[in-house]
């Protein structure tokens, strides 16, 4: 029987330095991507340094590699930050539930990402852009604290150039540079200014908890999105990733197994301790 805790070795094909403290790493196993779905995550480890949880940031329809973006914050991520192209990284997964794109077909979608939370949004968003004709109007709103904190700047043009797709990028007040051409304002404030209606629409939101809180409020109370049509992901700290250790649970819900993707309606029924 396969040992569910046993990692596989993935090879680093490409490293993209996104910002001063954040990188995107593209990996392959046996020369190609693995099977996963947008919203799922993996456990990535470096021997002697530890294991870290990262959501996938690439579209699963792109088969040449799978990708995650990470911010260096502690021991494991400092170790991963020191790796080079050609090095190996141990990987377990994919784990968790996923964004159910079949429920999004024919609907308008707004993707809202803040900071490193744009990573899982990128996966589902590029998945939808890869099958553009299945969806209605697509709006992408991405915000970071400063211009220097924006990830994925090298592919902004690619996102903009899809039909019936609007891309809006913003930085927090004070985070702009003299040549900044995007918006200035917190994500929920800019969201409220967009010409969106909740009817026949889905919102996918991921970012820091404070951004999620106000973005959900704006979508529901000011834009008419129903709780069932607002989808987000949680990032509770994890250990096993498999529903075994109890590290990630909120009440009886295991974020690693029942999540990390939840609708705003589902979040409403969770105890308020996450
Ligand atoms: C489902 C899921 C998806 C995630 N996706 C990403 C991703 O795409 N990119 C990314 O950079 N990070 C992501 N994270 C967070 C990431 O797992 C941690 O930042 C990382 O494991 C820290 O490892 P470390 O050993 O370097 O730091 P540690 O030494 O363990 O911690 C360093 C600092 O980070 C904080 N921290 C650690 N884990 C978390 C967490 N889960 N949430 C908030 N703060 C944390 C610690 O409190 C501490 O302040 C995700 C977490 C989960 C649960
Ligand atoms: S991380 Fe172990 S139960 Fe969720």
């Amino acid at each position: 029987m396969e040992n569910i805790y046993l990692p596989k070795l993935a090879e680093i094909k490409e490293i993209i330095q996104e910002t001063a403290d954040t990188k995107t790493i593209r990996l392959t196993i046996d020369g190609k991507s693995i099977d996963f779905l947008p919203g799922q995550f993996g456990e990535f480890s470096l021997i002697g340094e530890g294991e870290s949880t990262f959501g996938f940031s690439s579209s699963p329809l792109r088969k040449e590699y799978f990708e995650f973006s990470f911010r260096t914050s502690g021991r494991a991520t400092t170790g991963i930050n020191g790796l080079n192209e050609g090095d190996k990284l141990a990987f377990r997964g994919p784990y968790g539930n996923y964004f159910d794109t079949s429920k999004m077909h024919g609907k308008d979608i707004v993707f809202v990402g803040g900071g490193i939370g744009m990573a899982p949004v990128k996966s589902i968003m590029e998945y939808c852009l890869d099958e553009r004709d299945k969806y209605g109007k697509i709006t992408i709103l991405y915000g970071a604290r400063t211009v220097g904190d924006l990830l994925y700047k090298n592919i902004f043009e690619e996102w903009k150039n899809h039909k019936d797709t609007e891309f809006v990028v913003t930085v927090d007040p004070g985070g702009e540079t003299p040549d900044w051409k995007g918006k200035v304002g917190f994500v929920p404030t800019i969201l409220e200014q967009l010409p969106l209606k909740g009817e026949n629409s889905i919102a996918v939101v991921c970012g820091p908890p404070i951004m999620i809180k106000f973005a959900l409020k704006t979508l529901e109370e000011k834009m008419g999105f129903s709780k069932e049509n607002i989808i987000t992901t949680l990032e509770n700290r994890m250990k096993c990733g498999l529903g075994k250790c109890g590290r990630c649970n909120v009440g009886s819900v295991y974020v690693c197994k029942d999540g990390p993707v939840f609708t705003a309606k589902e979040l409403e029924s969770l105890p308020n301790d996450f």
Side-chain angles (χ1 to χ4, degrees):
M1 202 173 73
E2 195 185 352
N3 181 345
I4 53 172
Y5 297 104
L6 195 65
K8 293 193 168 101
L9 280 183
E11 184 178 344
I12 299 180
K13 284 295 178 197
E14 192 180 346
I15 299 176
I16 302 161
Q17 184 82 48
E18 302 281 2
T19 70
D21 63 2
T22 304
K23 285 179 176 173
T24 295
I25 292 193
R26 293 182 167 166
L27 298 161
T28 58
I29 291 179
D30 298 330
K32 55 185 189 311
S33 181
I34 52 158
D35 289 331
F36 69 97
L37 286 163
Q40 289 191 294
F41 62 91
E43 295 292 335
F44 299 81
S45 59
L46 198 56
I47 290 166
E49 301 301 336
E51 199 170 45
S52 270
T53 312
F54 303 118
F56 300 108
S57 57
S58 51
S59 161
L61 296 174
R62 303 184 188 185
K63 298 291 183 193
E64 312 83 56
Y65 56 82
F66 63 110
E67 175 192 278
F68 67 95
S69 302
F70 74 103
R71 178 178 293 142
T72 299
S73 59
R75 184 167 173 172
T77 46
T78 299
I80 296 170
N81 186 45
L83 295 175
N84 297 304
E85 288 171 5
D87 286 345
K88 297 272 184 0
L89 190 57
F91 165 80
R92 300 191 283 125
Y95 297 138
N97 70 349
Y98 51 87
F99 294 102
D100 185 353
T101 46
S102 67
K103 292 190 180 147
M104 300 181 181
H105 290 167
K107 304 227 164 92
D108 292 346
I109 313 176
V110 56
F111 294 104
V112 184
I116 191 78
M118 192 61 191
V121 172
K122 176 176 177 288
S123 177
I124 172 70
M125 184 188 89
E126 290 189 343
Y127 186 93
C128 295
L129 291 175
D130 285 346
E131 296 189 315
R132 184 66 195 85
D133 290 342
K134 291 190 175 171
Y135 308 92
K137 182 174 167 54
I138 289 183
T139 306
I140 305 158
L141 170 59
Y142 173 36
R145 279 189 307 120
T146 71
V147 174
D149 289 316
L150 286 166
L151 317 183
Y152 311 128
K153 287 192 270 288
N154 58 331
I155 43 175
F156 283 179
E157 280 305 311
E158 187 188 314
W159 293 350
K160 272 185 211 162
N161 287 336
H162 287 269
K163 70 164 193 194
D164 208 9
T165 301
E166 189 179 0
F167 175 60
V168 180
V169 59
T170 185
V171 294
D172 291 354
E176 67 273 33
T177 48
D179 60 344
W180 175 241
K181 294 195 175 57
K183 305 255 184 204
V184 176
F186 294 111
V187 167
T189 312
I190 304 298
L191 176 64
E192 198 181 328
Q193 295 165 5
L194 297 177
L196 301 170
K197 292 190 303 302
E199 203 181 300
N200 200 38
S201 299
I202 302 267
V204 173
V205 184
C206 191
I210 188 79
M211 186 211 91
I212 295 187
K213 182 178 168 191
F214 286 106
L216 262 53
K217 209 169 151 58
T218 300
L219 287 161
E220 271 178 63
E221 295 175 9
K222 300 190 173 154
M223 305 174 93
F225 282 75
S226 71
K227 285 183 169 31
E228 290 81 358
N229 287 338
I230 303 173
I231 316 168
T232 187
T233 70
L234 295 185
E235 283 200 1
N236 286 30
R237 294 202 76 166
M238 293 178 182
K239 200 99 185 144
C240 68
L242 285 158
K244 305 275 185 204
C245 72
R247 180 76 178 83
C248 68
N249 66 305
V250 184
S252 61
V253 169
Y254 289 89
V255 175
C256 67
K257 196 164 58 87
D258 305 312
V261 176
F262 295 94
T263 64
K265 179 83 187 155
E266 289 165 336
L267 288 187
E268 203 176 39
S269 60
L270 295 184
N272 204 8
D273 62 352
F274 60 90

